[in-house]
Amino acid sequence: MSVIDLGEYGADFTANPYPYYAKMREAGPVHRVRTTDGAELWLIVGYEEARAALADPRLSKSPSVVGMTMLDEQVIGPNLLVLDPPDHTRLRRLVAGQFTGRRVESLRPRLERLTGELADAMAPAGHADLVDSFAFPLPITVICELLGVPAADRDTFRAWTNEIVAPTGAGPEAEAIEGLAAYLDALVEDKRAAGSTDDLLSDLITARAEDGDRLSLAELRALGYLLLIAGHETTVNLIANAVRALLTHPEQLAAVRADFGLLDAVVEETLRWEGPVENATFRFTREPVRIGETLVPAYEPVLVSLASGDRDPARYPDADRFDLHRDARGHLAFGHGIHYCLGAPLARLEARIAIRTLLERFPGLELDPEGGALDWLPGMLIRGVRRLPVRW
């Protein structure tokens, strides 16, 4: 099978990968590709095949299957995204109890206050970068409050996480991971010493399974890392992508303004149409795995394209159209199977509240025509823009 060099597509692939994914889907559900950073792997682009792969135990999440460890795993330690059962099962059981529907719903008043305060701060200027002024501060404040991170440290966290999800180079990425690891170790030790019980990290420190099992320092560090990265970077881009989708589809925007009952549809259709995670994190074949008519050999890296699967017309007719009246259920934006995103209910709640606040406070909200071209985040993990200039 020939190798498709995604790097040859240049910046156009970063800005709009969907036509390229469509061309690949037409030729088959899985392809051998060379990514923009030069790595060769298998890319699954069909919806049914992607959904099946996400839950296939023959596709391991652990890089050790192919004798590798990821940079963050070397420094931080193994987290839920690089573990298979039974290790994954054990950690997920210890953590899942902290992400109940009741706990998420209890955050609603705080989320509503935060979005109101952010809107108040934006309003006098008449224009803003929505990412910097609104979409970033909301989830980073929420996740830092959940973890018990002081407000003064949040800008440092942002610099670290930006570098980790969209690296500008191996050196800066390593420095960001090392800085975050050291910070999290100190944070855990401080909370242990203080005996604090008023935040999620403190609850995780004291959490016990029925058999008395507890999380080690390394596991707490890795969970803090995962919650910070996954708990805010994805929500930043979910909010920004949803607002951009509405502002570029005026008829859909008008429908939402007329009926806020469509807010759930805005969130779900955004997740399907322009979700914040373009491709799931790596999987590795434990044995030869047949995908469509292609036999992927053992011990090969595999990427599951959530973005491509969710634009597959075999699953969603007229899939490239942003349509709030379609049934978007079954989308892959939060994954599928045992690695389904634990934070999905919180992300949905934050996005619904954020979008409603913006539409209520800024009736004339629109993209700023003087804002310049969109600057898309590099790489194939996070789908979003660095800035979203708007005015009202």
Side-chain angles (χ1 to χ4, degrees):
M1 176 180 285
S2 60
V3 177
I4 299 172
D5 189 348
L6 302 179
E8 291 182 353
Y9 301 145
D12 192 47
F13 181 77
T14 302
N16 184 16
Y18 300 106
Y20 300 100
Y21 288 140
K23 186 175 180 181
M24 282 187 269
R25 281 196 309 269
E26 290 171 3
V30 61
H31 298 275
R32 183 77 173 168
V33 303
R34 184 176 299 112
T35 63
T36 51
D37 61 3
E40 287 196 12
L41 50 84
W42 297 88
L43 182 68
I44 301 176
V45 292
Y47 174 87
E48 291 297 342
E49 293 79 10
R51 184 177 172 86
L54 290 170
D56 191 333
R58 296 174 299 171
L59 296 176
S60 170
K61 291 292 291 174
S62 174
S64 64
V65 167
V66 292
M68 290 172 49
T69 53
M70 299 300 186
L71 178 59
D72 58 353
E73 186 183 355
Q74 293 172 22
V75 178
I76 300 284
N79 62 66
L80 283 167
L81 288 182
V82 294
L83 291 173
D84 298 320
D87 296 324
H88 176 273
T89 309
R90 170 184 165 268
L91 280 186
R92 179 116 179 175
R93 184 178 65 246
L94 283 164
V95 175
Q98 307 302 323
F99 285 87
T100 61
R102 180 181 300 175
R103 182 165 199 155
V104 169
E105 186 57 32
S106 73
L107 296 172
R108 180 184 293 274
R110 178 60 177 144
L111 291 170
E112 291 173 343
R113 285 196 302 274
L114 275 173
T115 54
E117 291 166 4
L118 292 169
D120 288 344
M122 285 169 53
H127 62 90
D129 168 13
L130 194 74
V131 173
D132 191 60
S133 299
F134 191 86
F136 166 74
L138 174 62
I140 193 66
T141 300
V142 170
I143 200 66
C144 284
E145 286 182 357
L146 280 174
L147 292 175
V149 173
D153 296 335
R154 289 170 198 172
D155 285 344
T156 303
F157 267 49
R158 184 186 190 183
W160 282 334
T161 58
N162 280 350
E163 186 60 45
I164 291 167
V165 302
T168 58
E173 181 186 8
E175 291 172 9
I177 293 171
E178 289 166 2
L180 186 52
Y183 184 95
L184 289 168
D185 278 352
L187 187 65
V188 169
E189 291 300 344
D190 285 349
K191 290 186 179 299
R192 273 187 169 154
S196 175
T197 58
D198 58 355
D199 57 68
L200 174 62
L201 189 55
S202 298
D203 288 348
L204 289 171
I205 290 170
T206 58
R208 289 179 183 268
E210 290 182 2
D211 61 1
D213 188 16
R214 296 182 68 172
L215 295 163
S216 68
L217 172 61
E219 289 167 342
L220 287 162
R221 180 201 311 131
L223 279 168
Y225 168 79
L226 181 60
L227 291 170
L228 181 64
I229 301 294
H232 98 267
E233 282 290 348
T234 50
T235 309
V236 171
N237 292 290
L238 171 56
I239 293 169
N241 290 355
V243 172
R244 185 173 53 81
L246 288 172
L247 297 184
T248 53
H249 294 82
E251 73 291 346
Q252 307 282 343
L253 175 59
V256 180
R257 288 193 181 279
D259 178 11
F260 281 128
L262 288 171
L263 282 171
D264 281 349
V266 173
V267 174
E268 298 310 309
E269 179 66 348
T270 299
L271 286 164
R272 182 203 69 83
W273 186 75
E274 189 89 284
V277 182
E278 185 172 339
N279 296 281
T281 51
F282 281 107
R283 283 165 167 76
F284 305 90
T285 51
R286 298 177 183 273
E287 60 187 72
V289 178
R290 186 167 296 281
I291 301 172
E293 297 181 0
T294 301
L295 187 66
V296 177
Y299 312 120
E300 291 278 341
V302 175
L303 276 187
V304 179
S305 181
L306 311 180
S308 179
D310 282 341
R311 292 280 192 111
D312 188 342
R315 175 62 178 83
Y316 298 104
D318 200 7
D320 287 328
R321 183 163 59 92
F322 181 74
D323 180 6
L324 300 183
H325 298 288
R326 83 161 72 244
D327 184 353
R329 285 179 298 181
H331 66 69
L332 304 175
F334 290 123
H336 177 62
I338 65 170
H339 289 281
Y340 184 84
C341 178
L342 271 171
L346 178 57
R348 285 180 162 118
L349 181 62
E350 288 185 67
R352 285 196 299 269
I353 292 172
I355 296 163
R356 178 164 190 156
T357 299
L358 287 170
L359 297 186
E360 286 181 332
R361 286 296 308 274
F362 305 108
L365 187 69
E366 63 180 0
L367 294 176
D368 189 340
E370 298 180 2
L374 295 176
D375 182 10
W376 291 91
L377 292 169
M380 295 179 64
L381 177 61
I382 298 294
R383 178 77 183 148
V385 293
R386 294 190 189 278
R387 300 175 61 252
L388 187 63
V390 295
R391 67 180 187 182
W392 50 90

